[in-house]
Amino acid sequence: MTGIRLTAPAPGWSIDADVVVVGSGVAGLTTALRCAAAGLATVVVTKARLDDGSTRWAQGGIAAALGEGDTPEQHLDDTLVAGAGLCDEAAVRTLVTEGPDAVRRLIGTGAHFDTTDSGDIALTREGGHHRRRIAHAGGDATGAEISRALVEAVREAALHTVENALVLDLLTDAEGRTAGVTLHVMGEGQHDGVGAVRAPAVVLATGGMGQVFSATTNPAVSTGDGVALALRAGAEVSDLEFVQFHPTVLFLGTGSEGQQPLVSEAVRGEGAHLVDASGTRFMLGQHELAELAPRDIVAKAITRQMQLRGTDHMYLDARHFGAKMWEQRFPTILAACRTHGIDPVTEPVPVAPAAHYASGGIRTDLRGRTTVPGLYACGEVACTGVHGANRLASNSLLEGLVFAERIAADIVEERPGAGPAEAGDHRAPSPLIAPEARSTIQRIMSRGAGVLRSAESLATAADELEALHNSAALAVEADEPKVAVPGVEAWEVTNLLLVSRVLVAAARQREETRGCHWREDRPERDDENWRRHLVVRLTPERRPVLRRTETEAFGPVGPVQAPDCAAAPPTHPADVTEEP
């Protein structure tokens, strides 16, 4: 354990349970339903409303070998290629082998996917897939349909839910084992203020951390809370440098910030073309799959074209679809475009890359267990080894589904026990960052650790982030009146700063270009030195400590030992120590 926690009031109320699931997307709700069905007292905590998780924003679909002639082996091959040599093959094989039946069970839960005239599940293609294997719902509203079905099932099962609650920190017993979480309910619901859910099993399914960047497809709640909690709890995280920038996000103008509308890869899967202002297709000859190349390749190609043309966006041309196809297949995207004054039926859609998905996260094994006993992670917040250096399109919903079922099975089998949470809280409170620093952090990250990175840009980002970190600590030491006070905005920004510092530290260490980590100063892939994972943990002094795995395989995930005081001298003293 790091002995670090957020600065927050002591819990004023508590709930007892067998398992607490934090998050209400496909990963969290699937885990909760399976645990409850096995008779475990299960509590679901979610940051907004139950039906407002990140899953509902997913447009494209869920990938699985469901079509005639398709096989899990072919799905595995496409996933490994997209992952640029860093996928853990055992994890991918688990995903693609168990995926089809997991999707069928999801359908049994009540999810309705689009079908063909013959009644079969309608399948489409997306980037990196050599076959049509993407099941979709409502044309381009797959996530919303999956969320609807799971939320209805949760309500029918009468699960205990706590909405509008920001998770704060992990509770542990005297042996360092998980004993629950602290959380803050934002004034809506049965509870209010800081409380605790006491449970021997905690499942983090908190989604992504796209809000560390100025422009992202992620909702405002995606502030990296789960990864930050895990780091403070002493868990290992891995591969945070691999942030996928979706190639085709609706361009709303220079300087647009916050959540941006996504233009699903399925639009290209149905035949849309990427073009420049003159109408020239620039993906031809860049990759055998042209517009359907893996996302990192398409994002880089768009960025290169923008640099060459001196512009801040390219175009997606699907005028040949016609009005009927747009209205039936992509009604959500059509409405979003028209809301912003663009009609895809008659004109090309302006697009540019934006932060979309974290391929890395809390390091887990194939049963979702982290390096802290009793703590599990699932979905985008986790790093199972499935995605490697670049997630294959539509594997995210499938990963959440498959590994949620595995986590539930492990909890039911193990029936983890824990002693009472330690009396009092002797952990050092982490200085809070002022809410107004949020946009500063986002701009630092977008400039220094966005689609294009270099040693210089990353060093600048590291120095600027470190200055924010040190300033907060000095303000607390000096008892300055401007010290940030506990509250949702300050807690979120503190989490954003922590995950940003760790992400930049890892990106500085990885001196190569691989997948969605693009170093302009190191443009080549270096398998000899870097076909390995970077694993990070936090010291009690809140410093990231990095180590490299020996191969692309994850290796065993076990309890973390106490930080090694004899660690090697810092490679980049401002932000990181690398273990020998």
Side-chain angles (χ1 to χ4, degrees):
M1 299 294 290
T2 63
I4 305 169
R5 63 176 176 86
L6 284 173
T7 299
W13 52 270
S14 67
I15 301 169
D16 292 325
D18 295 321
V19 55
V20 54
V21 177
V22 187
S24 60
V26 63
L29 296 189
T30 300
T31 305
L33 285 167
R34 298 293 185 273
C35 287
L40 296 178
T42 305
V43 174
V44 176
V45 173
T46 185
K47 194 172 179 181
R49 298 186 309 274
L50 196 61
D51 59 357
D52 207 23
S54 294
T55 289
R56 77 179 184 93
W57 296 100
Q59 293 175 346
I62 185 167
L66 297 165
E68 184 177 353
D70 198 6
T71 64
E73 200 68 28
Q74 293 176 68
H75 189 181
L76 180 141
D77 290 343
D78 285 345
T79 301
L80 295 180
V81 169
L86 266 191
C87 296
D88 180 83
E89 188 167 339
V92 178
R93 194 169 294 281
T94 298
L95 178 83
V96 301
T97 303
E98 298 181 10
D101 283 343
V103 172
R104 294 183 185 102
R105 284 189 288 274
L106 179 61
I107 293 171
T109 302
H112 301 294
F113 290 93
D114 296 339
T115 57
T116 64
D117 292 340
S118 60
D120 296 325
I121 295 176
L123 301 172
T124 190
R125 279 182 69 194
E126 291 185 2
H129 292 272
H130 283 79
R131 282 189 172 273
R132 286 182 170 266
R133 66 167 65 97
I134 315 300
H136 49 84
D140 57 358
T142 310
E145 170 58 18
I146 291 173
S147 180
R148 179 205 61 78
L150 291 173
V151 168
E152 283 190 9
V154 164
R155 287 176 174 154
E156 287 176 6
L159 265 66
H160 190 156
T161 62
V162 182
E163 298 180 290
N164 301 294
L166 171 65
V167 68
L168 299 177
D169 281 303
L170 192 72
L171 293 171
T172 57
D173 65 14
E175 304 300 319
R177 184 180 177 82
T178 295
V181 292
T182 56
L183 63 157
H184 174 81
V185 179
M186 295 173 256
E188 301 178 33
Q190 294 180 329
H191 304 282
D192 191 12
V194 175
V197 180
R198 304 185 185 280
V202 171
V203 182
L204 296 177
T206 52
M209 53 185 187
Q211 289 291 325
V212 301
F213 296 96
S214 296
T216 177
T217 63
N218 290 191
V221 295
S222 298
T223 50
D225 308 317
V227 171
L229 176 151
L231 283 165
R232 287 192 297 271
E236 291 182 339
V237 303
S238 186
D239 299 353
L240 280 198
E241 68 270 33
F242 296 116
V243 177
Q244 187 176 82
F245 284 75
H246 198 288
T248 54
V249 175
L250 187 62
F251 179 72
L252 300 180
T254 304
S256 295
E257 297 183 345
Q259 186 178 9
Q260 313 286 301
L262 178 66
V263 182
S264 170
E265 201 157 286
V267 178
R268 281 175 280 139
E270 296 292 353
H273 303 145
L274 282 165
V275 299
D276 59 21
S278 68
T280 302
R281 290 178 66 185
F282 54 84
M283 285 305 300
L284 295 176
Q286 301 242 9
H287 189 275
E288 61 167 332
L289 295 176
E291 280 89 356
L292 287 177
R295 287 179 178 173
D296 63 312
I297 293 171
V298 180
K300 290 173 188 176
I302 291 174
T303 304
R304 285 193 185 103
Q305 287 298 314
M306 293 193 303
Q307 290 176 327
L308 286 172
R309 308 297 179 195
T311 184
D312 44 19
H313 63 281
M314 288 285 116
Y315 294 91
L316 189 65
D317 192 351
R319 289 174 290 178
H320 54 285
F321 284 6
K324 183 177 180 180
M325 181 172 176
W326 269 109
E327 290 164 359
Q328 293 182 351
R329 181 67 178 85
F330 301 111
T332 306
I333 299 170
L334 178 63
C337 289
R338 286 178 170 169
T339 296
H340 293 283
I342 301 156
D343 190 350
V345 177
T346 60
E347 60 186 317
V349 178
V351 294
H356 181 59
Y357 189 87
S359 292
I362 307 166
R363 186 169 176 259
T364 75
D365 64 10
L366 296 185
R367 289 187 279 182
R369 298 179 297 190
T370 74
T371 49
V372 175
L375 179 65
Y376 297 79
C378 191
E380 188 174 354
V381 73
C383 186
T384 61
V386 158
H387 304 307
N390 178 57
R391 175 176 67 85
L392 180 66
S394 288
N395 268 356
S396 53
L397 292 175
L398 189 71
E399 182 196 33
L401 193 61
V402 167
F403 285 89
E405 294 187 338
R406 290 183 141 252
I407 287 173
D410 191 75
I411 293 173
V412 170
E413 179 183 343
E414 297 294 325
R415 299 274 173 165
E422 289 193 283
D425 199 332
H426 308 294
R427 295 173 293 180
S430 179
L432 296 178
I433 309 301
E436 54 266 28
R438 182 171 182 144
S439 60
T440 302
I441 294 168
Q442 292 169 333
R443 289 174 189 141
I444 290 170
M445 293 296 290
S446 294
R447 284 195 308 265
V451 177
L452 301 178
R453 301 168 177 178
S454 67
E456 183 179 359
S457 76
L458 289 166
T460 299
D463 289 344
E464 292 174 341
L465 294 172
E466 196 68 13
L468 289 173
H469 172 78
N470 291 334
S471 176
L474 289 173
V476 171
E477 290 177 10
D479 197 23
E480 293 183 5
K482 292 184 179 180
V483 170
V485 298
V488 172
E489 291 181 342
W491 290 322
E492 284 186 332
V493 175
T494 302
N495 288 338
L496 283 174
L497 181 59
L498 175 55
V499 297
S500 295
R501 291 174 61 228
V502 174
L503 190 161
V504 168
R508 293 185 76 186
Q509 292 297 101
R510 184 171 290 280
E511 296 180 333
E512 64 158 358
T513 288
R514 182 185 298 273
C516 50
H517 172 66
W518 187 5
R519 287 279 297 258
E520 292 182 282
D521 56 326
R522 301 280 183 170
E524 303 301 322
R525 179 167 144 175
D526 180 0
D527 280 350
E528 182 178 352
N529 293 304
W530 286 108
R531 194 177 177 187
R532 295 165 176 82
H533 300 275
L534 280 173
V535 179
V536 189
R537 57 186 173 85
L538 208 62
T539 70
E541 295 75 35
R542 294 178 288 133
R543 297 284 176 188
V545 178
L546 278 73
R547 67 176 174 84
R548 271 186 263 188
T549 58
E550 295 183 1
T551 70
E552 72 276 11
F554 250 29
V557 174
V560 176
Q561 301 302 311
D564 183 2
C565 296
T571 307
H572 303 296
D575 65 343
V576 63
T577 298
E578 182 172 8
E579 290 184 326

